[in-house]
């Protein structure tokens, strides 16, 4: 609908320009917003205020000219001028009802991608193997998965790439520690995280150990057979831990999506050679650097992107440069989204600029860093356990499930144990994921069990519960949507508000896809659930005055249920039929 209105306004502007009311050469970005208060219509535009100055007219006068010049459209019942010169558009209820009927009859709920389908690489999760996966990687995993699902739903071809850190200096440490106390069985190694901690302690305490670790990295990178064997073993164990976590979280990631840093080894020397051939390399203290005009440090001095260390070693940036060209040439991506901590923003700006300068990617390929804020503890400080240690993700999820169990049991003591456990599992995991998804992506975020598990507010339990209300309505009725008959009629103000929101699902998903911001979908579902609630309280359904009204309301409820379920699934949250 917003697109339609923008198009109508554009036509009116063209007409007024031809008539000489507006000067030639204006090409304003036409803004159309959803109104908050339905007495102002369903959509509003401030275009008359934006163009009043260049047109040398009062905004309200221009608004009147615009309204007169707007072509008629079936979807719009009327247009009014409000306040200083807003254009308020009122949807035509019949046209709206027809759209909703079409959505109800469609497996994709009438959602289409605005713009052509694309092949999109989503770079997500990317923990550093052998170390503990930390809360930052949890954010990347959850948010990246949510956006990937939305892109797929809109028809994009999504290629997930788990760019795990499997080649870093941490392996030298592990190898050196392994030499000191050969660990035999897989069972012993299964607790790789404590093994890593012990190795790290040795590394920090002993200069001799640290030196040995560094040499082992060189040996490993040179392909030494014994080092490689152990390296594979570490990685296999570590990846199987990651996979267990993905499965538990219900994240669509598998071993086939892993394309770690080590996968680009063979291309790194070539990356350097190609940069050199393009004349982009400068030697600085023995290191190979790329200097780009747009990057300066705080003192205004040129800031280098270091691509090879003085000793010959390659860096994180070198691997990322190699990855850009793999994604361009082999994966043929048209768009690449990187879900990585906001603190790496400069790294990505420099890598993207360098990849373009070197011609590693075609100009048409979009490279977008989808940065996110830091996950902090409830006190707003970096996330730590009470005794100052790092929080284990598995323990975090265990606690969420336990708390959910207690809450659900209290609400619903008569549930049998198996169902209770299943509900607690779904609610616990969903709460952790939703808390992460519903915050603005770039904000830092406070982890708080009480808030995320609350049945009130913009939370998973609230939305899951809203869905069960719709489900229970149809259970009571003993009918499926297909058996209801009749058609949607939009009359009461609560019906109007709910219907208007339902019609915004496609717009919302397109925004999520464009901006990579799943919180927009969360906010939408939260609003939808709230509007459903007031509809449910004000518009009797099972006790409706006549059959046609009942059918219409049931159809609205059914579409709400399907939209909630689909929306939650796109966020990676399964729904429950009761809780
Ligand atoms: N392993 C990296 C880290 O933990 C994240 C990698 C993100 N992806 C990328 N292409 N650099 O910081």
């Amino acid at each position: 609908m917003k697109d339609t209105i923008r198009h109508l306004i554009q036509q009116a502007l063209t007409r007024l320009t031809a008539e000489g009311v507006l000067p030639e050469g204006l090409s304003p970005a036409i803004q159309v917003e959803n109104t908050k208060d339905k007495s102002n219509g369903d959509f509003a535009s401030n275009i008359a205020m934006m163009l009043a100055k260049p047109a040398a007219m009062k905004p309200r006068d221009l608004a009147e000219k615009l309204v007169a010049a707007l072509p008629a459209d079936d979807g719009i019942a009327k247009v009014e001028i409000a306040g200083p010169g807003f254009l308020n558009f009122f949807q035509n209820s019949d046209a709206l009802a027809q759209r909703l009927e079409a959505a109800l009859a469609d497996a994709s709920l009438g959602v289409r991608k605005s713009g052509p389908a694309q092949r999109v690489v989503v770079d997500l999760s990317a923990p550093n193997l052998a170390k503990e996966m930390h809360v930052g990687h949890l954010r990347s995993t959850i948010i990246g998965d949510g956006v990937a699902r939305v892109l797929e739903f809109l028809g994009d071809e999504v290629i997930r790439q788990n760019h795990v850190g499997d080649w870093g200096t941490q392996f030298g440490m592990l190898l050196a520690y392994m030499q000191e106390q050969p660990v035999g069985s897989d069972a012993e190694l299964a607790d790789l995280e404590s093994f890593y901690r012990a190795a790290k302690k040795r590394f920090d305490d002993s200069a001799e150990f640290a030196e040995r670790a560094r040499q082992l990295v060189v040996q490993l990178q040179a392909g030494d057979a014994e080092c490689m064997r152990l390296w594979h073993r570490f990685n296999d164990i570590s990846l199987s831990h990651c996979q267990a976590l993905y499965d538990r979280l219900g994240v669509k990631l598998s071993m086939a999506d892993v394309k770690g840093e080590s996968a680009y080894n063979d291309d790194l020397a070539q990356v350097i050679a190609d940069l050199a051939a393009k004349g982009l390399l400068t030697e600085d203290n023995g290191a190979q650097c790329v200097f780009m005009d747009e990057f300066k440090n705080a003192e205004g001095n040129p800031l280098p992107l270091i691509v090879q260390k003085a000793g010959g070693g390659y860096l994180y940036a070198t691997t990322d440069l190699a990855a850009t060209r793999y994604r361009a040439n082999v994966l043929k991506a048209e768009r690449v989204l990187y879900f990585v901590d906001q603190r790496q923003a400069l790294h990505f700006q420099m890598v993207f600029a360098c990849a373009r300068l070197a011609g590693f990617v075609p100009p048409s390929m979009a490279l977008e860093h989808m940065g996110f804020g830091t996950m902090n503890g409830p006190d707003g400080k970096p996330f730590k356990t009470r005794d100052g240690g790092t929080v284990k993700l598995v323990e975090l999820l265990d606690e969420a499930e336990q708390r959910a169990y207690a809450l659900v049991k209290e609400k619903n003591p008569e549930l049998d144990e198996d169902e209770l456990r299943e509900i607690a599992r779904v609610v616990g995991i969903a709460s952790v994921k939703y808390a992460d998804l519903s915050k603005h992506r770039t904000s830092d975020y406070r982890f708080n069990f009480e808030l995320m598990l609350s049945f009130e507010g913009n939370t998973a339990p609230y939305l899951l519960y809203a869905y069960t209300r719709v489900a229970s309505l149809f259970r009571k009725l003993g009918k499926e949507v297909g058996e209801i008959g009749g058609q949607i009629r939009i009359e009461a103000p609560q019906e109007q508000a709910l219907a208007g929101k339902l019609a915004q699902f496609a717009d919302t998903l397109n925004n999520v896809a464009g901006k990579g911001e799943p919180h927009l979908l969360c906010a939408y579902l939260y609003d939808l659930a709230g509007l459903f609630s007031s509809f449910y309280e004000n518009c009797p359904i099972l006790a409706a005055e006549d059959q046609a009204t009942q059918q219409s309301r049931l159809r609205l409820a059914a579409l709400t249920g399907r939209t909630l379920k689909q929306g939650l699934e796109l966020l990676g949250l399964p729904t429950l039929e009761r809780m």
Side-chain angles (χ1 to χ4, degrees):
M1 203 64 213
K2 283 188 193 166
D3 276 342
T4 308
I5 295 176
R6 255 178 238 121
H7 189 63
L8 294 173
I9 295 178
Q10 187 55 56
Q11 286 172 274
L13 293 179
T14 309
R15 197 151 140 192
L16 294 182
T17 310
E19 288 171 7
V21 177
L22 289 174
E24 298 276 343
L26 294 179
S27 54
I30 303 172
Q31 285 171 22
V32 177
E33 302 297 340
N34 296 306
T35 53
K36 299 239 151 48
D37 171 0
K38 293 291 154 198
S39 66
N40 291 329
D42 301 291
F43 303 96
S45 176
N46 62 354
I47 189 73
M49 280 110 96
M50 272 178 61
L51 295 185
K53 205 162 189 183
M57 289 174 80
K58 290 206 191 88
R60 279 194 78 100
D61 293 346
L62 179 56
E64 270 172 37
K65 294 257 183 228
L66 275 165
V67 172
L70 277 173
D73 187 274
D74 281 350
I76 302 295
K78 63 174 173 175
V79 186
E80 282 180 356
I81 300 168
F86 282 107
L87 299 185
N88 288 344
F89 293 82
F90 291 75
Q91 285 194 79
N92 178 337
S93 304
D94 291 341
L96 178 57
Q98 271 169 33
R99 276 188 64 190
L100 298 187
E101 283 295 348
L104 199 53
D106 177 17
S108 317
L109 295 167
V111 174
R112 300 286 175 271
K113 189 180 180 194
S114 59
Q118 287 178 305
R119 194 197 287 251
V120 186
V121 164
V122 175
D123 182 318
L124 77 167
S125 195
N128 299 317
L129 297 191
K131 297 190 193 177
E132 296 175 51
M133 198 196 278
H134 67 70
V135 287
H137 297 117
L138 186 68
R139 289 208 86 183
S140 171
T141 306
I142 292 172
I143 300 176
D145 183 49
V147 174
R149 285 169 186 252
V150 170
L151 293 170
E152 278 166 340
F153 186 67
L154 290 173
D156 282 345
E157 187 188 337
V158 173
I159 305 173
R160 291 169 168 76
Q161 293 279 282
N162 193 353
H163 190 90
V164 296
D166 58 0
W167 202 237
T169 42
Q170 74 261 35
F171 288 99
M173 236 154 56
L174 294 174
L175 292 171
Y177 194 62
M178 192 79 141
Q179 286 182 336
E180 288 186 347
Q181 32 215 307
V183 184
S185 69
D186 280 352
E188 268 178 282
L189 261 189
D191 192 5
L192 204 52
E193 289 169 1
S194 26
F195 190 77
Y196 172 79
R197 269 199 298 273
K200 173 93 169 66
K201 188 162 185 321
R202 283 284 287 139
F203 185 88
D204 292 340
D205 292 350
S206 154
E208 180 273 327
F209 182 94
E211 186 43 39
R212 212 148 32 85
R214 272 189 280 273
Q215 267 158 24
L216 283 163
V217 176
V218 177
Q219 273 184 41
L220 171 70
Q221 300 199 336
D224 174 86
E226 180 58 11
C227 287
M228 288 297 277
R229 194 183 65 77
L230 290 171
W231 174 75
H232 276 296
R233 191 150 164 230
F234 282 130
N235 278 351
D236 288 348
I237 298 171
S238 196
L239 280 172
S240 72
H241 288 186
C242 296
Q243 190 58 49
L245 192 69
Y246 299 149
D247 293 345
R248 183 165 178 198
L249 285 169
V251 163
K252 283 208 231 166
L253 269 177
S254 74
M255 290 295 193
D257 303 313
V258 173
K259 183 91 185 167
E261 293 181 10
S262 65
Y264 300 99
N265 279 337
D266 293 346
D267 194 31
L268 301 181
Q270 196 58 47
V271 165
I272 302 297
D274 290 348
L275 291 172
K278 299 236 148 105
L280 293 171
L281 289 188
T282 309
E283 198 179 306
D284 190 13
N285 285 320
Q288 295 297 330
C289 304
V290 180
F291 286 96
M292 293 169 281
D293 293 343
E294 63 267 50
F295 298 102
K296 303 257 191 302
N297 66 15
E299 288 83 47
N301 297 320
L303 196 66
L305 177 66
I306 308 176
V307 290
Q308 189 169 25
K309 290 192 251 188
Y314 303 109
L315 297 100
Y316 185 50
T318 329
T319 305
D320 259 323
L321 285 171
T324 60
R325 58 192 205 173
Y326 172 77
R327 292 164 183 187
N329 301 334
V330 181
L331 300 181
K332 308 251 181 281
E334 296 167 86
R335 186 179 183 208
V336 189
L337 306 180
Y338 292 78
F339 289 89
V340 189
D341 195 312
Q342 187 64 34
R343 288 171 293 190
Q344 295 188 26
L346 182 62
H347 163 78
F348 285 109
Q349 282 165 23
M350 295 184 88
V351 165
F352 297 166
C354 179
R356 293 203 186 284
L357 210 56
F360 289 167
V361 301
S364 61
M365 178 166 135
L367 296 165
E368 301 169 49
H369 176 212
M370 299 284 158
F372 50 78
T374 310
M375 180 144 137
N376 289 321
D379 54 0
K381 302 215 183 80
F383 211 26
K384 290 269 167 347
T385 55
R386 235 165 254 136
D387 51 19
T390 33
V391 180
K392 285 202 172 190
L393 295 185
V394 172
E395 286 166 10
L396 207 73
L397 298 181
D398 288 345
E399 181 167 353
E401 285 183 21
Q402 281 152 15
R403 286 177 180 249
Y405 179 91
L407 281 170
V408 177
K409 187 165 185 151
E410 187 188 303
K411 262 193 165 335
N412 232 337
E414 76 281 5
L415 283 174
D416 72 69
E417 188 60 21
D418 284 350
E419 191 173 4
L420 187 58
R421 291 216 170 273
E422 177 56 12
I423 295 176
R425 192 187 64 79
V426 171
V427 173
I429 303 285
S431 299
V432 172
K433 292 178 78 174
Y434 191 83
D436 208 335
L437 290 159
S438 57
K439 308 294 181 310
H440 197 292
R441 172 161 53 70
T442 53
S443 320
D444 288 349
Y445 143 61
R446 283 184 195 207
F447 190 94
N448 184 323
F449 276 124
E450 258 122 64
L451 291 180
M452 70 177 69
L453 282 160
S454 165
F455 277 79
E456 272 146 58
N458 188 7
T459 64
Y462 174 79
L463 287 175
L464 291 172
Y465 182 68
Y467 174 74
T468 63
R469 279 172 94 183
V470 185
S472 89
L473 179 66
F474 285 89
R475 249 199 325 276
K476 268 191 220 139
L477 187 73
K479 275 191 192 163
E480 303 278 328
V481 202
E483 306 166 68
I484 299 167
Q487 55 192 358
I488 295 175
R489 297 179 321 190
I490 301 163
E491 284 154 2
Q494 293 85 3
E495 292 173 334
Q496 211 120 38
L498 178 63
K501 199 37 105 185
L502 284 167
Q504 289 165 22
F505 191 45
D507 266 355
T508 306
L509 294 182
N510 275 293
N511 277 337
V512 173
K515 299 185 183 156
E517 292 182 346
H519 78 272
L520 299 170
L521 177 54
C522 297
Y524 171 82
L525 295 175
Y526 178 57
D527 287 349
L528 181 65
L531 292 171
F532 179 75
S533 226
S534 62
F535 158 78
Y536 193 75
E537 276 145 34
N538 291 285
C539 306
I541 302 179
L542 296 180
E545 50 268 35
D546 55 66
Q547 197 197 13
T549 306
Q550 180 177 75
Q551 287 171 330
S552 164
R553 290 180 180 165
L554 281 170
R555 296 178 82 78
L556 275 174
L559 184 58
T560 306
R562 280 184 52 200
T563 306
L564 282 172
K565 189 180 171 83
Q566 182 66 65
L568 288 168
E569 188 191 310
L570 292 176
L571 294 169
L573 269 50
T575 41
L576 294 159
E577 293 304 304
R578 52 186 205 152
M579 63 193 273

